Amino acid sequence: MFGLKSHQKELIKLSRKCVPKLTPKLYKGQCGKICVVGGCEEYTGAPYFSAHAASIFGSDLVYLLCEKRAGLPIKGYSPNLMVHPYLGDSYSSTHGFQYDFERVTSLVQRCHVLVVGPGLGRDEQMLQQVLQLVEEAPTLGDDHDRCLILDADGLFLLSSESYTERMQKALKKYGDDRVVITPNCVELKRIMTTLEVDSVEKVSEKLGCITVAKGQIDVIVNSLGERWENDYEGSMKRCGGQGDTLTGIIATMLGFSRAVGDFKLASLEGDDAKPLSWAKMAMLSCFIGSTATKLASKAAYEKVGRQLQTTDMNNMVGEVFEKLYPSQPN
Ligand SMILES: NC(=O)C1=CN([C@@H]2O[C@H](COP(=O)(O)OP(=O)(O)OC[C@H]3O[C@@H](n4cnc5c(N)ncnc54)[C@H](OP(=O)(O)O)[C@@H]3O)[C@@H](O)[C@H]2O)[C@@H](O)CC1
Ligand SMILES: Nc1ncnc2c1ncn2[C@@H]1O[C@H](COP(=O)(O)OP(=O)(O)OP(=O)(O)O)[C@@H](O)[C@H]1O
């Protein structure tokens, strides 16, 4: 399949234990409720790419929590997403916008997985609101195993001297390997400098998280130092937004893993399959996110060549899912 190596095929096979089986008994939301937190006046594409990829990789419900002025453009991209423009920046708050944290928390407490950062921007007020959300999310409602993915400006909160102490403390409130960070090579360097560590392993250990260090080879390391490398080739076109596709797919896979591991739905392997530990499911979720993103990039490049944009890649994400996990007959 797609020129994948045998160890990659083995991991894909194992990851079937993370994917819930579709049955007539399921109701909406059981196969993943995701909330993407990001989007400001300048960047509306990034959160859309993440939320859209999460949707078409198979999550049931995908919410998008963004700055007020980003709401309308993003709603215009897709009627499938539920766009909540409840965040405010310094511009909107001086132009009549009233920030209401309760509206934000009532949305977030319904969600199994959060993606924080794509297109958030660096406005001080937006960052403060999101930092408070990251701090409170693990204790909202009855769900104390909520997962968090940090990318882009969410990682800036981690590497910036002004916010890092509060962020590091906040991440400790999440369960082991319930937090995933997805830095590109520049973001990784900034994080290592701030944390005063010299390896991906030490970043993951210090934060109790999984780090997906992106590049030609994606390096995936969990809090115990287990390290997987994904050298599947993907495509060579480096348009902006591919990292957003990645966070969307990882979010769906973590949501699926929670459906099977935390909420005990049957997986594609059936009811009697021996369950996997959360640590293994979380690593597999990241590996599948990395593989599916690279596969979508490769498939889109083969179709459209150098004009490839993230929209082309996202258009392949549903097809990639079907190739990885062929559908049961209906
Ligand atoms: N369509 C949209 O709405 C999109 C919106 N997006 C959103 O934009 C926001 C800012 O994100 P960001 O990544 O541009 O910011 P930041 O981390 O400051 O990097 C800036 C500089 O770092 C460098 N650099 C980066 N990667 C590198 C690498 N691999 N290897 C080497 N160097 C590398 C490079 O520096 P240069 O080469 O230009 O000197 C680059 O210019 C954020 O909210 C994000 O979500 C994106 O998701 C795209 C799609
Ligand atoms: N040199 C490369 N060759 C092949 N794939 C790559 C290469 N660099 C990055 N990728 C892939 O592209 C995806 C996004 O990584 P990238 O480093 O572009 O993130 P990013 O800069 O955060 O993206 P974004 O533009 O969304 O902010 C990852 O899945 C990664 O595997």
Side-chain angles (χ1 to χ4, degrees), residues 20 22 26-34 54-63 80-82 112 252 255-256 259 265:
L22 290 182
L26 293 175
Y27 62 88
K28 78 176 172 189
Q30 284 189 290
C31 288
K33 289 189 237 173
I34 312 295
S55 272
I56 59 175
F57 207 68
S59 287
D60 279 352
L61 296 170
V62 182
Y63 301 91
N80 294 316
L81 304 175
M82 291 165 283
H112 305 146
T252 288
F256 283 169
L265 295 188

Side-chain angles (χ1 to χ4, degrees), residues 13 15 32 43 51 61 101 103 146 171 181 184 189 199 208 214-215 223-224 233 246 267 288 296:
K13 189 161 171 251
S15 73
Y43 308 121
L61 296 170
F101 193 59
R103 275 180 107 185
R146 195 165 281 122
L171 298 192
I181 65 171
N184 64 28
K189 270 194 208 122
S199 67
K214 296 176 291 194
S223 58
L224 296 174
E233 65 188 8
L246 174 74
S267 77
I288 293 298

Side-chain angles (χ1 to χ4, degrees), residues 151 184 187 214-216 218 233 235 238-244 246 290 293-294:
D151 189 35
N184 64 28
E187 290 160 337
K214 296 176 291 194
Q216 185 174 358
D218 287 342
E233 65 188 8
S235 90
R238 302 265 63 80
C239 59
Q242 304 197 24
D244 303 317
L246 174 74
S290 160
T293 303
K294 286 173 180 283

Side-chain angles (χ1 to χ4, degrees), residues 43-46 49 118-120 122 152-153 184-187 190 240-241 244:
Y43 308 121
T44 54
F49 294 139
L120 206 57
R122 301 276 167 93
D153 304 309
N184 64 28
C185 66
V186 174
E187 290 160 337
R190 290 185 195 134
D244 303 317

